[in-house]
Amino acid sequence: MPTQTFENLTESKQALVRQALLEEFSKHDLADAQVARIVKSARIARGAFYKYFADLTDAYRYLYQYAMNDLHDTRIRAHRLLTAQEYVDQVTTFLEQVSASPYQELIQRHYAVNEALLHTQVVPRLRPASAVEWAVMVLVHETIKEALWQPQERSEATQRLAEALTSLLARGD
């Protein structure tokens, strides 16, 4: 995660660095990303980059977490289990938000390549209260992943989610 030095930057300077990170990580896999391109785009010194982040992976984790937080205005969580259709509606809304956001290429590249390059979880794990909640969470996240990775199959993925959740939620705990 970014250092206190980064946190102390003005919001406009942070935004400039985030934009440079977004450009780099949207166009290049984490393994092929270059600090040189980021610092050139952000108009900062190479040394400043390392004052803000430990390394490229740290910068990537920061940007990905920032993107997820930005997109998750409404989390796919509740204090109760939702209906299958409510989950499908939330997934559909989230996918539409991603498609209309500047993060689409970043997130697609994350699922296609970068997720496998990271040895630890990028987004903090949620702790479901029951086996059914865990199953719902896994199905929802795998559907999002599939729909972003293979956009042409989004409709089939959400239909499959609806069928699976309808069956699962009918059974209960």
Side-chain angles (χ1 to χ4, degrees), residues 131-162:
V132 172
E133 287 179 7
W134 172 82
V136 167
M137 182 181 73
V138 169
L139 288 168
V140 163
H141 284 98
E142 286 302 312
T143 300
I144 289 169
K145 180 178 178 176
E146 180 181 349
L148 290 173
W149 197 9
Q150 300 173 327
Q152 71 280 7
E153 299 194 14
R154 177 177 157 182
S155 177
E156 292 85 356
T158 54
Q159 180 59 39
R160 192 170 40 255
L161 174 65

Side-chain angles (χ1 to χ4, degrees), residues 19-133:
Q19 183 58 40
L21 294 173
L22 182 59
E23 289 171 15
E24 183 68 12
F25 293 128
S26 293
K27 294 177 183 169
H28 302 279
D29 299 343
L30 182 55
D32 298 324
Q34 294 181 2
V35 172
R37 287 190 295 252
I38 294 168
V39 299
K40 182 178 179 183
S41 177
R43 297 184 302 262
I44 60 173
R46 187 176 185 89
F49 176 87
Y50 290 105
K51 285 185 178 183
Y52 303 156
F53 306 101
D55 54 24
L56 276 170
T57 301
D58 186 44
Y60 178 83
R61 288 175 194 276
Y62 161 72
L63 179 66
Y64 190 79
Q65 184 67 52
Y66 183 90
M68 287 294 104
N69 288 341
D70 196 25
L71 290 167
H72 275 305
D73 289 337
T74 57
R75 292 196 171 263
I76 301 175
R77 287 201 269 173
H79 297 293
R80 63 173 176 79
L81 283 172
L82 304 177
T83 66
Q85 190 57 53
E86 288 172 320
Y87 283 114
V88 170
D89 290 346
Q90 285 188 358
V91 166
T92 301
T93 298
F94 178 75
L95 291 169
E96 289 167 357
Q97 287 174 326
V98 170
S99 295
S101 80
Y103 308 119
Q104 182 176 8
E105 290 179 52
L106 170 74
I107 295 168
Q108 286 174 323
R109 187 171 299 280
H110 176 79
Y111 286 131
V113 181
N114 292 334
E115 183 177 48
L117 297 174
L118 299 169
H119 298 292
T120 59
Q121 188 75 13
V122 174
V123 178
R125 289 197 171 279
L126 303 176
R127 299 204 183 349
S130 70
V132 172
E133 287 179 7

